[in-house]
Amino acid sequence: MATEIRPGPRPPVKLGQRFAEIYGDADGLAMALAPGRVNLLGDHTDYNDGFVLPMTIDRAVYFALRRRADTLVRMHSLNFAEEIRYDLDQRPEVPPGAWTSYVTGTVEELRKRGLVGAGFEAVIYGDVPLGGGVSSSAALAVATLMALQTLFGFTLDGVAAAGVCQQVEHRYAGVRCGIMDQFAARMGRTNHALLLDCRNLSYNEIPLALDEINVVIVNSGVKRALAGSKYNERRIECQQAVDFFRQFDPAVKALRDVSADLLENHQSALPGKAGKRCRHVVMENQRVLDGAALLNNHDFATFGALMEESHASLRELYEVSCPELDALVEIGLETDGVLGARMTGAGFGGCTVHLAEPGAIPQLKERIARIYPRRFKYKPDVYVLTRNLQAGPVEFD
Ligand code: GLA
């Protein structure tokens, strides 16, 4: 199914003006955006060849740029008030995970493929919370790619583009992430969630009208400091479980292939925590498939119950939650009209996502603002999604 690229909205800062302040004028400027994402169901399933159900949010990274006659690359981040400058053919060493690793990594991957052959100068601004579990890094890589595609006019299929941005994360940021975030940032569509099969990258767009049901994102304020190492640790545990199951069934290539029966028969013999991890993945995949059908039927109450189960599983079996996320989920679930709540993304901090009837929002906000700071030192941020963006070129006035 092709995702049509429509011009996005104007960025929340005057990017053309800022560009002119930095580079003299704003003639010949192109711009693109890529949004952050929230995952409604299916965490830690993507790198197990499983299913996920993310949607984009209304926060994005905006990338304005113009071609140069030489091979100099200049990229200026307004968020970090920093600029990186280098010759296109000599990508500098930058700290893995820094903003510069995503932008230079994306440029490098496109240069290697022969898609970018000239220098350019750029200004970047994003309003996706950093380290907040809503994929600011995927938005940054995808926005870089979309902006370069807009400027240089090369052809690159959206699914392939998501794959390039995933490689950027692996090679330049040092996190062996799955494909969900980059895929959602690149392929997610306004007024839809995405059901993605992470094995073959086939997907379905699931209509989701944000005036019918509210999606609320709450940032716990806990930064995902250890996410990288713990995340890679979970991947190793999953691989151990795959190796174990292959003794019984050589067709098992990933945890996606472990049936409920196979799991029941052998779970107790799995080493260490691999059995718990595996149980989460097997059950979570089924929840995603069931959840997508429920969304299609507008059965938000049953979908909400799956979100609750998913959170319990991420907390108890996959062990990637934390007390702050658990508290936000609990506060949500105890609020009238909130149908479901769970942590979203990698975990260890970041955000929760809540599905709520429109009338429930004031009470949800009030309860979070009152109860959460009494227990934790963080100030929670609550965003009610009123729309969700899609990646693509942005038009100037
Ligand atoms: C991070 C990764 C994704 C995915 C989630 C957990 O966001 O980038 O690939 O694994 O964690 O679902």
Side-chain angles (χ1 to χ4, degrees):
M1 210 182 299
T3 298
E4 162 204 359
I5 296 182
R6 281 192 238 118
R10 264 173 281 138
V13 296
K14 291 201 164 72
L15 220 52
Q17 196 176 313
R18 299 304 303 275
F19 188 97
E21 283 162 21
I22 296 166
Y23 298 113
D25 61 64
D27 299 344
L29 209 52
M31 180 162 33
L33 73 78
R37 67 95 189 97
V38 61
N39 190 23
L40 299 176
L41 262 186
D43 272 308
H44 294 277
T45 44
D46 62 352
Y47 53 82
N48 289 303
D49 277 5
F51 300 95
V52 291
L53 192 56
M55 69 185 292
T56 61
I57 60 174
D58 59 349
R59 309 277 186 121
V61 173
Y62 299 83
F63 198 114
L65 79 179
R66 148 173 91 188
R67 192 181 181 124
R68 290 179 58 97
D70 54 18
T71 51
L72 184 64
V73 172
R74 290 179 65 181
M75 294 184 277
H76 184 106
S77 160
L78 294 180
N79 299 77
F80 291 94
E82 269 172 24
E83 186 184 86
I84 183 150
R85 215 189 259 232
Y86 63 101
D87 187 88
L88 181 63
D89 298 315
Q90 288 160 9
R91 179 184 171 271
E93 281 296 318
V94 294
W99 74 272
T100 45
S101 67
Y102 294 97
V103 293
T104 60
T106 307
V107 173
E108 179 65 6
E109 287 303 309
L110 296 175
R111 185 198 66 81
K112 283 196 308 202
R113 289 168 173 78
L115 300 174
V116 169
F120 62 91
E121 45 210 11
V123 170
I124 309 158
Y125 174 75
D127 61 1
V128 186
L130 298 176
V134 281
S135 294
S136 54
S137 58
L140 180 56
V142 175
T144 308
L145 184 145
M146 294 301 285
L148 289 164
Q149 187 168 15
T150 307
L151 184 70
F152 291 105
F154 55 80
T155 307
L156 185 63
D157 160 63
V159 174
V164 169
C165 293
Q166 182 193 23
Q167 284 171 9
V168 169
E169 186 95 38
H170 288 193
R171 291 184 185 152
Y172 306 92
V175 178
R176 301 242 322 113
C177 65
I179 188 71
M180 168 170 70
D181 302 346
Q182 294 75 17
F183 199 96
R186 176 61 188 82
M187 302 297 284
R189 205 174 130 207
T190 298
N191 290 327
H192 290 79
L194 270 181
L195 167 63
L196 172 65
D197 178 337
C198 300
R199 169 161 276 169
N200 63 14
L201 302 185
S202 64
Y203 63 99
N204 282 313
E205 295 170 341
I206 314 277
L208 188 66
L210 291 169
D211 48 3
E212 187 185 356
I213 189 75
N214 278 138
V215 174
V216 184
I217 300 167
V218 185
N219 191 342
S220 67
V222 182
K223 293 257 191 237
R224 298 183 299 127
L226 278 173
S229 57
K230 292 265 189 217
Y231 186 90
N232 291 342
E233 196 180 287
R234 290 292 179 283
R235 288 200 68 147
I236 294 168
E237 289 168 339
C238 289
Q239 189 52 49
Q240 286 169 348
V242 170
D243 295 342
F244 171 84
F245 282 111
R246 283 170 70 86
Q247 318 166 53
F248 309 103
D249 182 356
V252 172
K253 303 265 180 298
L255 289 188
R256 150 81 170 270
D257 304 311
V258 174
S259 65
D261 279 351
L262 195 60
L263 179 66
E264 276 331 312
N265 293 339
H266 302 289
Q267 186 186 343
S268 55
L270 267 161
K273 304 220 166 185
K276 285 164 82 173
R277 308 297 188 239
C278 184
R279 171 167 290 277
H280 165 74
V281 174
V282 171
M283 309 297 280
E284 186 84 344
N285 276 332
Q286 191 56 48
R287 277 190 285 271
V288 173
L289 295 174
D290 295 345
L294 292 165
L295 279 191
N296 269 324
N297 290 334
H298 302 243
D299 183 349
F300 302 120
T302 315
F303 187 90
L306 292 183
M307 291 173 81
E308 194 177 339
E309 279 177 25
S310 167
H311 184 77
S313 177
L314 288 158
R315 185 185 63 219
E316 301 298 328
L317 300 178
Y318 219 73
E319 297 179 287
V320 289
S321 188
C322 62
E324 291 85 353
L325 293 173
D326 294 342
L328 289 171
V329 166
E330 196 183 304
I331 297 168
L333 292 174
E334 286 168 1
T335 306
D336 286 343
V338 172
L339 305 175
R342 63 191 286 277
M343 53 155 274
T344 184
F348 312 103
C351 292
T352 53
V353 57
H354 305 245
L355 202 67
E357 288 165 353
I361 302 299
Q363 209 203 341
L364 177 63
K365 284 184 168 168
E366 185 279 321
R367 283 173 46 81
I368 289 173
R370 180 164 48 83
I371 302 171
Y372 185 76
R374 274 202 308 228
R375 292 184 52 192
F376 304 101
K377 61 180 185 204
Y378 304 101
K379 189 185 155 302
D381 272 327
V382 181
Y383 319 109
V384 181
L385 275 195
T386 50
R387 59 176 185 162
N388 68 321
L389 298 173
Q390 63 189 56
V394 179
E395 276 180 355
F396 287 98
D397 294 338

PDB file of all heavy atoms in Angstrom, residues 136-160:
ATOM      1  N   SER A 136      12.646  10.256  19.182  1.00  0.00           N
ATOM      2  CA  SER A 136      13.222  11.476  18.614  1.00  0.00           C
ATOM      3  C   SER A 136      14.375  11.114  17.676  1.00  0.00           C
ATOM      4  O   SER A 136      14.587  11.775  16.661  1.00  0.00           O
ATOM      5  CB  SER A 136      13.712  12.402  19.719  1.00  0.00           C
ATOM      6  OG  SER A 136      14.591  11.715  20.579  1.00  0.00           O
ATOM      7  N   SER A 137      15.102  10.052  17.979  1.00  0.00           N
ATOM      8  CA  SER A 137      16.257   9.722  17.145  1.00  0.00           C
ATOM      9  C   SER A 137      15.817   9.188  15.783  1.00  0.00           C
ATOM     10  O   SER A 137      16.398   9.541  14.758  1.00  0.00           O
ATOM     11  CB  SER A 137      17.183   8.734  17.852  1.00  0.00           C
ATOM     12  OG  SER A 137      16.500   7.566  18.180  1.00  0.00           O
ATOM     13  N   ALA A 138      14.772   8.370  15.757  1.00  0.00           N
ATOM     14  CA  ALA A 138      14.274   7.890  14.456  1.00  0.00           C
ATOM     15  C   ALA A 138      13.741   9.067  13.650  1.00  0.00           C
ATOM     16  O   ALA A 138      13.961   9.161  12.442  1.00  0.00           O
ATOM     17  CB  ALA A 138      13.184   6.842  14.655  1.00  0.00           C
ATOM     18  N   ALA A 139      13.050   9.994  14.334  1.00  0.00           N
ATOM     19  CA  ALA A 139      12.525  11.167  13.634  1.00  0.00           C
ATOM     20  C   ALA A 139      13.675  11.976  13.037  1.00  0.00           C
ATOM     21  O   ALA A 139      13.576  12.481  11.910  1.00  0.00           O
ATOM     22  CB  ALA A 139      11.702  12.031  14.585  1.00  0.00           C
ATOM     23  N   LEU A 140      14.789  12.065  13.759  1.00  0.00           N
ATOM     24  CA  LEU A 140      15.936  12.843  13.272  1.00  0.00           C
ATOM     25  C   LEU A 140      16.548  12.188  12.027  1.00  0.00           C
ATOM     26  O   LEU A 140      16.814  12.860  11.027  1.00  0.00           O
ATOM     27  CB  LEU A 140      16.978  12.970  14.396  1.00  0.00           C
ATOM     28  CG  LEU A 140      18.239  13.754  14.087  1.00  0.00           C
ATOM     29  CD1 LEU A 140      17.910  15.170  13.604  1.00  0.00           C
ATOM     30  CD2 LEU A 140      19.142  13.828  15.329  1.00  0.00           C
ATOM     31  N   ALA A 141      16.745  10.884  12.088  1.00  0.00           N
ATOM     32  CA  ALA A 141      17.337  10.199  10.930  1.00  0.00           C
ATOM     33  C   ALA A 141      16.391  10.260   9.728  1.00  0.00           C
ATOM     34  O   ALA A 141      16.811  10.561   8.602  1.00  0.00           O
ATOM     35  CB  ALA A 141      17.663   8.748  11.287  1.00  0.00           C
ATOM     36  N   VAL A 142      15.112  10.013   9.970  1.00  0.00           N
ATOM     37  CA  VAL A 142      14.166  10.007   8.839  1.00  0.00           C
ATOM     38  C   VAL A 142      14.001  11.415   8.269  1.00  0.00           C
ATOM     39  O   VAL A 142      13.927  11.598   7.047  1.00  0.00           O
ATOM     40  CB  VAL A 142      12.802   9.390   9.250  1.00  0.00           C
ATOM     41  CG1 VAL A 142      11.784   9.498   8.121  1.00  0.00           C
ATOM     42  CG2 VAL A 142      12.975   7.929   9.648  1.00  0.00           C
ATOM     43  N   ALA A 143      13.993  12.436   9.135  1.00  0.00           N
ATOM     44  CA  ALA A 143      13.872  13.817   8.629  1.00  0.00           C
ATOM     45  C   ALA A 143      15.089  14.169   7.776  1.00  0.00           C
ATOM     46  O   ALA A 143      14.958  14.808   6.723  1.00  0.00           O
ATOM     47  CB  ALA A 143      13.741  14.810   9.785  1.00  0.00           C
ATOM     48  N   THR A 144      16.270  13.717   8.206  1.00  0.00           N
ATOM     49  CA  THR A 144      17.490  13.983   7.424  1.00  0.00           C
ATOM     50  C   THR A 144      17.349  13.344   6.046  1.00  0.00           C
ATOM     51  O   THR A 144      17.602  13.968   5.012  1.00  0.00           O
ATOM     52  CB  THR A 144      18.727  13.413   8.160  1.00  0.00           C
ATOM     53  OG1 THR A 144      18.720  13.896   9.502  1.00  0.00           O
ATOM     54  CG2 THR A 144      20.019  13.815   7.483  1.00  0.00           C
ATOM     55  N   LEU A 145      16.922  12.089   6.053  1.00  0.00           N
ATOM     56  CA  LEU A 145      16.778  11.375   4.782  1.00  0.00           C
ATOM     57  C   LEU A 145      15.726  12.037   3.885  1.00  0.00           C
ATOM     58  O   LEU A 145      15.957  12.267   2.696  1.00  0.00           O
ATOM     59  CB  LEU A 145      16.422   9.917   5.063  1.00  0.00           C
ATOM     60  CG  LEU A 145      16.335   9.015   3.835  1.00  0.00           C
ATOM     61  CD1 LEU A 145      16.840   7.612   4.166  1.00  0.00           C
ATOM     62  CD2 LEU A 145      14.930   8.914   3.271  1.00  0.00           C
ATOM     63  N   MET A 146      14.595  12.388   4.465  1.00  0.00           N
ATOM     64  CA  MET A 146      13.519  12.982   3.642  1.00  0.00           C
ATOM     65  C   MET A 146      13.945  14.326   3.077  1.00  0.00           C
ATOM     66  O   MET A 146      13.598  14.686   1.955  1.00  0.00           O
ATOM     67  CB  MET A 146      12.254  13.191   4.491  1.00  0.00           C
ATOM     68  CG  MET A 146      11.586  11.948   4.994  1.00  0.00           C
ATOM     69  SD  MET A 146      11.055  10.825   3.715  1.00  0.00           S
ATOM     70  CE  MET A 146       9.628  11.616   3.061  1.00  0.00           C
ATOM     71  N   ALA A 147      14.690  15.094   3.881  1.00  0.00           N
ATOM     72  CA  ALA A 147      15.125  16.409   3.424  1.00  0.00           C
ATOM     73  C   ALA A 147      16.111  16.247   2.268  1.00  0.00           C
ATOM     74  O   ALA A 147      16.019  16.948   1.258  1.00  0.00           O
ATOM     75  CB  ALA A 147      15.756  17.177   4.575  1.00  0.00           C
ATOM     76  N   LEU A 148      17.035  15.299   2.397  1.00  0.00           N
ATOM     77  CA  LEU A 148      18.013  15.076   1.321  1.00  0.00           C
ATOM     78  C   LEU A 148      17.316  14.555   0.068  1.00  0.00           C
ATOM     79  O   LEU A 148      17.662  14.917  -1.052  1.00  0.00           O
ATOM     80  CB  LEU A 148      19.097  14.106   1.801  1.00  0.00           C
ATOM     81  CG  LEU A 148      20.039  14.732   2.841  1.00  0.00           C
ATOM     82  CD1 LEU A 148      20.845  13.667   3.570  1.00  0.00           C
ATOM     83  CD2 LEU A 148      20.978  15.741   2.188  1.00  0.00           C
ATOM     84  N   GLN A 149      16.307  13.731   0.274  1.00  0.00           N
ATOM     85  CA  GLN A 149      15.547  13.215  -0.866  1.00  0.00           C
ATOM     86  C   GLN A 149      14.803  14.360  -1.565  1.00  0.00           C
ATOM     87  O   GLN A 149      14.758  14.440  -2.791  1.00  0.00           O
ATOM     88  CB  GLN A 149      14.557  12.142  -0.387  1.00  0.00           C
ATOM     89  CG  GLN A 149      13.860  11.440  -1.518  1.00  0.00           C
ATOM     90  CD  GLN A 149      13.114  10.188  -1.076  1.00  0.00           C
ATOM     91  OE1 GLN A 149      12.880   9.973   0.118  1.00  0.00           O
ATOM     92  NE2 GLN A 149      12.734   9.371  -2.031  1.00  0.00           N
ATOM     93  N   THR A 150      14.242  15.265  -0.767  1.00  0.00           N
ATOM     94  CA  THR A 150      13.534  16.417  -1.330  1.00  0.00           C
ATOM     95  C   THR A 150      14.512  17.292  -2.122  1.00  0.00           C
ATOM     96  O   THR A 150      14.208  17.754  -3.224  1.00  0.00           O
ATOM     97  CB  THR A 150      12.887  17.246  -0.191  1.00  0.00           C
ATOM     98  OG1 THR A 150      12.089  16.369   0.604  1.00  0.00           O
ATOM     99  CG2 THR A 150      12.015  18.366  -0.716  1.00  0.00           C
ATOM    100  N   LEU A 151      15.700  17.487  -1.562  1.00  0.00           N
ATOM    101  CA  LEU A 151      16.671  18.381  -2.203  1.00  0.00           C
ATOM    102  C   LEU A 151      17.284  17.758  -3.462  1.00  0.00           C
ATOM    103  O   LEU A 151      17.367  18.396  -4.499  1.00  0.00           O
ATOM    104  CB  LEU A 151      17.786  18.720  -1.205  1.00  0.00           C
ATOM    105  CG  LEU A 151      18.830  19.712  -1.694  1.00  0.00           C
ATOM    106  CD1 LEU A 151      18.215  21.109  -1.820  1.00  0.00           C
ATOM    107  CD2 LEU A 151      20.022  19.780  -0.737  1.00  0.00           C
ATOM    108  N   PHE A 152      17.721  16.496  -3.349  1.00  0.00           N
ATOM    109  CA  PHE A 152      18.460  15.892  -4.469  1.00  0.00           C
ATOM    110  C   PHE A 152      17.561  15.112  -5.422  1.00  0.00           C
ATOM    111  O   PHE A 152      17.995  14.695  -6.494  1.00  0.00           O
ATOM    112  CB  PHE A 152      19.598  15.005  -3.944  1.00  0.00           C
ATOM    113  CG  PHE A 152      20.703  15.808  -3.283  1.00  0.00           C
ATOM    114  CD1 PHE A 152      20.843  15.842  -1.908  1.00  0.00           C
ATOM    115  CD2 PHE A 152      21.584  16.560  -4.049  1.00  0.00           C
ATOM    116  CE1 PHE A 152      21.852  16.594  -1.304  1.00  0.00           C
ATOM    117  CE2 PHE A 152      22.593  17.319  -3.453  1.00  0.00           C
ATOM    118  CZ  PHE A 152      22.726  17.336  -2.078  1.00  0.00           C
ATOM    119  N   GLY A 153      16.334  14.854  -4.998  1.00  0.00           N
ATOM    120  CA  GLY A 153      15.354  14.253  -5.905  1.00  0.00           C
ATOM    121  C   GLY A 153      15.602  12.795  -6.257  1.00  0.00           C
ATOM    122  O   GLY A 153      15.119  12.313  -7.270  1.00  0.00           O
ATOM    123  N   PHE A 154      16.350  12.057  -5.435  1.00  0.00           N
ATOM    124  CA  PHE A 154      16.568  10.642  -5.754  1.00  0.00           C
ATOM    125  C   PHE A 154      15.331   9.811  -5.397  1.00  0.00           C
ATOM    126  O   PHE A 154      14.487  10.234  -4.618  1.00  0.00           O
ATOM    127  CB  PHE A 154      17.819  10.097  -5.040  1.00  0.00           C
ATOM    128  CG  PHE A 154      17.835  10.287  -3.553  1.00  0.00           C
ATOM    129  CD1 PHE A 154      17.133   9.439  -2.703  1.00  0.00           C
ATOM    130  CD2 PHE A 154      18.574  11.329  -2.981  1.00  0.00           C
ATOM    131  CE1 PHE A 154      17.160   9.613  -1.335  1.00  0.00           C
ATOM    132  CE2 PHE A 154      18.602  11.506  -1.606  1.00  0.00           C
ATOM    133  CZ  PHE A 154      17.894  10.653  -0.785  1.00  0.00           C
ATOM    134  N   THR A 155      15.272   8.630  -5.978  1.00  0.00           N
ATOM    135  CA  THR A 155      14.153   7.727  -5.703  1.00  0.00           C
ATOM    136  C   THR A 155      14.584   6.755  -4.619  1.00  0.00           C
ATOM    137  O   THR A 155      15.635   6.127  -4.738  1.00  0.00           O
ATOM    138  CB  THR A 155      13.810   6.932  -6.977  1.00  0.00           C
ATOM    139  OG1 THR A 155      13.611   7.871  -8.024  1.00  0.00           O
ATOM    140  CG2 THR A 155      12.570   6.088  -6.805  1.00  0.00           C
ATOM    141  N   LEU A 156      13.829   6.658  -3.586  1.00  0.00           N
ATOM    142  CA  LEU A 156      14.095   5.652  -2.544  1.00  0.00           C
ATOM    143  C   LEU A 156      12.759   5.296  -1.916  1.00  0.00           C
ATOM    144  O   LEU A 156      12.109   6.134  -1.277  1.00  0.00           O
ATOM    145  CB  LEU A 156      15.073   6.195  -1.496  1.00  0.00           C
ATOM    146  CG  LEU A 156      15.524   5.206  -0.433  1.00  0.00           C
ATOM    147  CD1 LEU A 156      16.297   4.042  -1.038  1.00  0.00           C
ATOM    148  CD2 LEU A 156      16.398   5.897   0.614  1.00  0.00           C
ATOM    149  N   ASP A 157      12.370   4.074  -2.142  1.00  0.00           N
ATOM    150  CA  ASP A 157      11.112   3.558  -1.614  1.00  0.00           C
ATOM    151  C   ASP A 157      11.058   3.735  -0.084  1.00  0.00           C
ATOM    152  O   ASP A 157      12.080   3.620   0.593  1.00  0.00           O
ATOM    153  CB  ASP A 157      11.105   2.092  -2.072  1.00  0.00           C
ATOM    154  CG  ASP A 157      10.194   1.237  -1.285  1.00  0.00           C
ATOM    155  OD1 ASP A 157       8.990   1.506  -1.325  1.00  0.00           O
ATOM    156  OD2 ASP A 157      10.680   0.314  -0.624  1.00  0.00           O
ATOM    157  N   GLY A 158       9.870   4.028   0.439  1.00  0.00           N
ATOM    158  CA  GLY A 158       9.721   4.324   1.860  1.00  0.00           C
ATOM    159  C   GLY A 158      10.162   3.196   2.771  1.00  0.00           C
ATOM    160  O   GLY A 158      10.767   3.423   3.829  1.00  0.00           O
ATOM    161  N   VAL A 159       9.889   1.954   2.380  1.00  0.00           N
ATOM    162  CA  VAL A 159      10.270   0.821   3.224  1.00  0.00           C
ATOM    163  C   VAL A 159      11.797   0.698   3.249  1.00  0.00           C
ATOM    164  O   VAL A 159      12.409   0.499   4.313  1.00  0.00           O
ATOM    165  CB  VAL A 159       9.614  -0.486   2.711  1.00  0.00           C
ATOM    166  CG1 VAL A 159      10.110  -1.696   3.491  1.00  0.00           C
ATOM    167  CG2 VAL A 159       8.094  -0.371   2.793  1.00  0.00           C
ATOM    168  N   ALA A 160      12.412   0.898   2.086  1.00  0.00           N
ATOM    169  CA  ALA A 160      13.882   0.855   2.025  1.00  0.00           C
ATOM    170  C   ALA A 160      14.466   2.005   2.842  1.00  0.00           C
ATOM    171  O   ALA A 160      15.483   1.838   3.536  1.00  0.00           O
ATOM    172  CB  ALA A 160      14.346   0.949   0.579  1.00  0.00           C
TER     173      ALA A 160
END
